[in-house]
Amino acid sequence: MKLAVVGGGSTYTPELIDGFARLREVLPIEELVLVDPAAERLELVGGLARRIFAKLGHPGRIVTTSDLDAGVEGADAVLLQLRVGGQAARNQDETWPLECGCVGQETTGAGGLAKALRTVPVVLDIAERVRRTNPDAWIIDFTNPVGIVTRALLQAGHKAVGLCNVAIGFQRRWASALGVAPSQVHLDHVGLNHLTWEFGVRIGGPDGENVLPKILAEGGDELASMLRIPRSVLDRLGVVPSYYLRYYYAHDEVVRELGTKPSRAAEVAEMEKQLLEMYGDPALDEKPELLAKRGGAFYSEAAVDLAASLLGGGGSPYQVVNTYNNGTLPFLPDDAVIEVQAAVGREGASPLAVPALDPLYSGLISHVTAYEDLALEAALRGGRDRVFKALLAHPLIGQYDAAEGLTDRLIAHNREHLAWA
């Protein structure tokens, strides 16, 4: 079995390598290719990756290359984890929206649109090259904004599934609290990428006992603190929103907070410098503790599980993924991409049925889906008017003065990445 990781020079990669090494019986990789145009950092990451494999006794071969076509040739699955423009572009995404009184965040709002515009054309080019080399390869997308990028891939006819680590983070947290194996915790996880709620926490499978009321009653204070929303709001909802919902539920408060401290991108950039220095130490043969602060908790386990299922191995039968709606949420078009529990196997992902949603949730999901439609159109076809319409449609913006100012800033800060600009 051959896997390729595009964006293999990322500081995230040792987390992925650690999972591949520990779970080698689930996903028996013979060759792992790390592909990245940044040759210097790729060699640092690749060196550590080989040492991790050696320490944990993995017999597979790790190859590093800057040649995309060679790297993906013959791959059974290609995992995408790239960041077009790097942390510098992310820092801009997180700062210039604040000038218009809007949230500055790399995956939602104006910053999320900027990232989509930079990313979708690059990802589609990569996917076409994968298809020419190996049309049967699965593409696993971890590149944000995952929902929009996955929809672009599926719309272009690629064998693709999107992946996010929010659900697996909740699953592992509650498995530990309940004293059960993670595989025994099934989430009623519903929504769009970075716009999801846990409507149930079931023990044993989709039809198991729902222990969410117990979790809220006994651990509500801790959850509210983690999510940074009032306990009273959590109790009134009776569900657990992802932490991204705070951008919607407390928009103005978040904008004020973001204006008083350095961007997350600035923090991550400094962290990446330290991590790359560590990766260059020939004595280091495990992922450093600092990597946990970088983000992406349990990313490797989610990736292994998904790849194993898609390639016919021993992955979990049900996993939270991003895939076509196909009637699952009846208020959305079939070709919308949703994030839900799905049955996953060689043929791809098939969403499980979900209960009818209250308008509190279906309304916001519909609104953000409409924005994603316009965002993808802007990413595929370009043009200032399409960017403006996508921004105007976003529930975190929705005012023409703000949309005009954000459009000007988005284009100015991303001109080098936008062919039409």
Side-chain angles (χ1 to χ4, degrees):
M1 180 186 296
K2 175 180 176 179
L3 263 65
V5 180
V6 179
S10 167
T11 53
Y12 271 134
T13 299
E15 164 68 29
L16 190 63
I17 298 299
D18 177 76
F20 286 157
R22 287 187 293 103
L23 302 171
R24 57 186 175 276
E25 293 183 2
V26 177
L27 189 69
I29 300 170
E30 297 167 285
E31 182 177 358
L32 177 65
V33 184
L34 306 180
V35 184
D36 203 294
E40 184 175 346
R41 65 186 288 157
L42 180 60
E43 286 309 308
L44 292 175
V45 172
L48 174 57
R50 294 184 186 98
R51 295 192 296 273
I52 292 173
F53 261 33
K55 180 179 182 179
L56 296 179
H58 195 296
R61 184 167 71 109
I62 294 178
V63 177
T64 58
T65 181
S66 295
D67 185 334
L68 175 67
D69 295 317
V72 302
E73 185 175 3
D76 297 287
V78 177
L79 196 150
L80 305 181
Q81 58 170 31
L82 57 147
R83 182 184 295 279
V84 180
Q87 293 298 332
R90 175 180 179 175
N91 186 63
Q92 292 177 352
D93 294 344
E94 294 178 345
T95 51
W96 53 261
L98 297 174
E99 298 170 8
C100 297
C102 295
V103 161
Q105 211 279 331
E106 65 157 341
T107 65
T108 192
L113 177 62
K115 188 168 191 178
L117 297 181
R118 293 193 303 268
T119 304
V120 166
V122 174
V123 165
L124 289 179
D125 177 66
I126 292 169
E128 284 300 329
R129 292 163 73 174
V130 171
R131 181 153 54 188
R132 288 199 302 268
T133 304
N134 182 8
D136 293 324
W138 277 102
I139 296 177
I140 298 174
D141 178 58
F142 197 71
T143 296
N144 281 317
V146 167
I148 295 173
V149 173
T150 302
R151 185 168 179 182
L153 287 165
L154 291 172
Q155 197 168 277
H158 298 288
K159 293 175 60 177
V161 180
L163 182 63
C164 180
N165 71 322
V166 167
I168 197 172
F170 277 130
Q171 182 200 47
R172 296 305 198 262
R173 177 188 185 90
W174 289 327
S176 176
L178 295 167
V180 300
S183 61
Q184 290 298 300
V185 177
H186 181 95
L187 302 179
D188 293 341
H189 177 103
V190 183
L192 310 176
N193 180 241
H194 291 184
L195 192 86
T196 52
W197 299 263
E198 311 306 327
F199 290 93
V201 180
R202 302 185 182 276
I203 304 301
D207 299 318
E209 177 192 2
N210 181 16
V211 297
L212 180 58
K214 176 183 177 182
I215 288 172
L216 290 172
E218 298 179 359
D221 287 342
E222 186 179 358
L223 264 175
S225 176
M226 182 188 76
L227 298 170
R228 301 189 64 199
I229 63 174
R231 169 69 188 269
S232 59
V233 173
L234 199 59
D235 288 339
R236 290 166 75 181
L237 292 175
V239 302
V240 179
S242 84
Y243 47 85
Y244 288 95
L245 265 298
R246 188 167 180 263
Y247 295 116
Y248 296 82
Y249 293 162
H251 175 273
D252 294 352
E253 180 182 348
V254 172
V255 169
R256 287 193 295 270
E257 288 175 3
L258 293 175
T260 64
K261 60 183 181 181
S263 69
R264 172 64 177 164
E267 296 176 0
V268 170
E270 182 56 37
M271 207 176 299
E272 286 199 334
K273 290 180 183 178
Q274 298 176 49
L275 286 169
L276 289 171
E277 288 178 7
M278 292 177 181
Y279 295 171
D281 179 357
L284 183 68
D285 57 5
E286 60 185 10
K287 62 178 183 180
E289 291 184 11
L290 179 61
L291 185 56
K293 299 180 181 179
R294 172 69 178 83
F298 306 112
Y299 159 42
S300 62
E301 295 177 25
V304 168
D305 210 11
L306 179 55
S309 292
L310 293 173
L311 299 176
S316 303
Y318 305 116
Q319 297 171 45
V320 173
V321 297
N322 285 258
T323 191
Y324 270 151
N325 177 44
N326 283 338
T328 308
L329 299 179
F331 52 88
L332 294 184
D334 285 348
D335 64 352
V337 165
I338 60 174
E339 185 172 293
V340 293
Q341 284 277 6
V344 183
R346 288 183 180 273
E347 300 305 312
S350 178
L352 303 185
V354 302
L357 298 186
D358 186 284
L360 177 64
Y361 310 108
S362 62
L364 186 53
I365 291 171
S366 297
H367 195 162
V368 175
T369 297
Y371 151 75
E372 291 190 347
D373 288 347
L374 295 167
L376 183 54
E377 183 75 1
L380 294 173
R381 301 180 63 192
R384 188 185 189 284
D385 284 349
R386 293 188 181 92
V387 173
F388 171 79
K389 289 177 181 177
L391 290 167
L392 187 63
H394 200 293
L396 295 181
I397 301 166
Q399 300 179 74
Y400 58 79
D401 282 344
E404 287 283 10
L406 290 167
T407 299
D408 291 338
R409 288 167 173 79
L410 186 155
I411 294 172
H413 285 286
N414 291 276
R415 198 176 299 277
E416 66 181 293
H417 300 291
L418 305 177
W420 52 267

